[in-house]
Amino acid sequence: VWAPGRMKVLLIGGGSSHDFGRFFNATDSATLAAAGLSVNYTEDRDQAAAEIGKADVAVISVNRQFFDTPAYRKALFDFAAAGKGLVMLHPGTWYGYAQWPELNAAIVGGGARGHDRIATFSVKAVLPSHPVMTGVPATFEVEDELYYVNAEADKIPPGTAPIEVLAETSPSVRFKQPHPSVWVTRHPSARIVGIALGHDERVHDHPAFRAILVNAVRWAGRVP
């Protein structure tokens, strides 16, 4: 059920290693609803495929491999082709679908194959003038999994869409270099934002993360 006169945001989550119901549903739904958006959440692949076309923006954190069905693939790519908004969030930025490389190539703009153990690191705005970064501190600290987004150039598959980095992490323990934390994926029709942050309440309750999430949804949905 969608509230009339409000931007419609479908959250698609579920899978392993995260408390999806608590953070990607309850907390994020409350954050977005407080911003005046109409929000629904699903962990059902068939419902996601059937309902995504009715939304203005989809926030995708799901890492369940059985979501890789012809119906869901088509629905997601049709949604992007229609110029709708996508936010790929935390586990949604993972290289999680070995038989569906087009998701990472065309939508995520690459992705992560690993991360540091949960620890405190800093996030720095690279392009603070972008609307997604409005009201976000120039630097802030989070206690989270530092995702190795596009860490090794030789492991980014050919044909992967380029990204514009809006914020980056402090250097990771493993690679000793910063990694994209918030970015925009170049797409011919859709507006797509990638957000690597988001393991648990230490991030989802963080004011900077909440600002990024709301900004990303509004920008992806083409709200002035």
Side-chain angles (χ1 to χ4, degrees):
V1 177
W2 299 106
R6 297 187 180 184
M7 176 186 287
K8 299 183 288 293
V9 185
L10 179 63
L11 310 182
I12 303 173
S16 64
S17 305
H18 301 82
D19 191 337
F20 287 91
R22 181 179 174 189
F23 306 122
F24 298 87
N25 179 10
T27 302
D28 291 349
S29 291
T31 295
L32 295 169
L37 309 175
S38 179
V39 186
N40 280 292
Y41 176 84
T42 185
E43 295 186 9
D44 184 297
R45 64 184 183 185
D46 297 327
Q47 185 180 50
E51 296 293 331
I52 190 172
K54 302 173 186 176
D56 300 304
V57 178
V59 179
I60 299 177
S61 59
V62 66
N63 63 2
R64 285 179 165 171
Q65 292 196 8
F66 65 80
F67 258 70
D68 179 13
T69 65
Y72 181 73
R73 285 193 191 195
K74 183 178 187 303
L76 178 54
F77 276 81
D78 284 352
F79 185 80
K84 298 293 188 72
L86 284 162
V87 178
M88 306 305 292
L89 177 59
H90 196 55
T93 68
W94 200 260
Y95 277 101
Y97 299 90
Q99 304 305 314
W100 190 16
E102 297 86 358
L103 178 65
N104 285 85
I107 303 298
V108 180
R113 293 187 171 88
H115 59 76
D116 285 350
R117 291 183 178 183
I118 293 180
T120 300
F121 60 90
S122 62
V123 178
K124 175 184 177 182
V126 175
L127 195 60
S129 61
H130 194 282
V132 172
M133 303 304 294
T134 299
V136 178
T139 61
F140 60 92
E141 289 191 340
V142 293
E143 190 173 359
D144 197 7
E145 299 168 325
L146 195 163
Y147 271 25
Y148 308 142
V149 175
N150 295 352
E152 299 162 282
D154 61 330
K155 291 188 177 181
I156 302 174
T160 296
I163 66 172
E164 181 177 32
V165 179
L166 308 183
E168 66 181 15
T169 67
S170 50
S172 63
V173 173
R174 178 178 175 185
F175 289 99
K176 307 294 191 293
Q177 67 183 40
H179 305 279
S181 187
V182 184
W183 64 93
V184 170
T185 305
R186 187 181 300 170
H187 188 277
S189 304
R191 283 190 174 183
I192 304 173
V193 181
I195 304 174
L197 302 168
H199 183 72
D200 59 22
E201 75 277 7
R202 290 167 286 188
V203 182
H204 290 261
D205 290 336
H206 197 297
F209 173 83
R210 289 184 171 186
I212 291 168
L213 179 62
V214 171
N215 290 345
V217 169
R218 287 185 173 278
W219 181 81
R222 303 176 194 271
V223 171

